[in-house]
Amino acid sequence: LIYVYFEDKDDLILGICERALQMLGQRFQAAMARQVRGVDQIQSIGRAYVAFSQEFPIYFDALSRFQAHEPAVAENHRNELACMRAGDHVHSLTARAIETGIADGSIRTDVGPPMLMAVTLWGFMYGTRFGLIGNIVIGIIGLISDFLFKWANRRLFPWSLP
């Protein structure tokens, strides 16, 4: 009965990924809304990403598989195009937070294109979280996330956190 809604297994996984990205986008929007400065929005987004990966490991795994696959022709998989759009939306939220930070002075003006930096930060967080699943106690993930935020602060922001 499930294949009435999905063409095949790949289409089903893409549907799961689309839902995961929609949920992640909602969390990013909520994280941004709680902060005023761009730098604080970025940190809040990072923490929301880590929390999402811990609270929804199945969705996180599905996203990992989606990111690792080779895209098909969009006409063949309508859910693939929907996933790509949802992913672009998630990255655009991070880029918007970077733009806010540049405008308010909490992020350096020479950081480069905000969308490129958004994807770079996503890669840092994804790589850290993915590499740690099953290997390190969850509490250590918070310490590593804090380290990454401090590292990013030194690279992106005009001032350094202690």
Side-chain angles (χ1 to χ4, degrees):
L1 186 59
I2 197 161
Y3 290 113
V4 170
Y5 300 101
F6 300 98
E7 295 173 14
D8 54 23
K9 179 182 164 188
D10 291 335
D11 198 43
L12 172 63
I13 291 170
L14 290 168
I16 291 168
C17 289
E18 179 187 7
R19 177 68 181 131
L21 287 165
Q22 289 170 348
M23 291 170 60
L24 194 56
Q26 291 168 353
R27 285 173 170 246
F28 281 17
Q29 287 175 320
M32 290 172 67
R34 290 190 297 267
Q35 306 296 333
V36 176
R37 295 182 326 145
V39 65
D40 298 327
Q41 290 177 356
I42 291 294
Q43 289 180 345
S44 190
I45 285 171
R47 293 182 195 292
Y49 182 78
V50 171
F52 176 85
S53 71
Q54 292 171 345
E55 292 172 35
F56 301 102
I58 302 299
Y59 280 135
F60 185 80
D61 182 58
L63 288 176
S64 299
R65 294 172 192 273
F66 174 68
Q67 291 175 347
H69 91 289
E70 185 173 331
V73 178
E75 297 86 43
N76 293 339
H77 288 283
R78 69 181 187 277
N79 280 334
E80 182 151 19
L81 184 56
C83 271
M84 294 173 83
R85 286 182 181 147
D88 288 346
H89 174 68
V90 168
H91 290 313
S92 72
L93 293 170
T94 306
R96 188 175 351 141
I98 292 168
E99 290 166 354
T100 298
I102 291 169
D104 69 25
S106 64
I107 296 178
R108 292 173 25 180
T109 58
D110 63 346
V111 72
M115 184 57 85
L116 176 61
M117 186 48 54
V119 174
T120 301
L121 290 173
W122 172 277
F124 278 137
M125 291 305 296
Y126 168 78
T128 300
R129 180 64 181 116
F130 184 72
L132 295 174
I133 292 177
N135 295 327
I136 296 178
V137 178
I138 294 299
I140 299 211
I141 291 171
L143 295 173
I144 291 171
S145 296
D146 287 342
F147 170 78
L148 282 175
F149 289 136
K150 288 179 181 179
W151 179 87
N153 279 333
R154 288 192 298 275
R155 300 294 184 271
L156 303 177
F157 312 125
W159 41 266
S160 294
L161 291 176

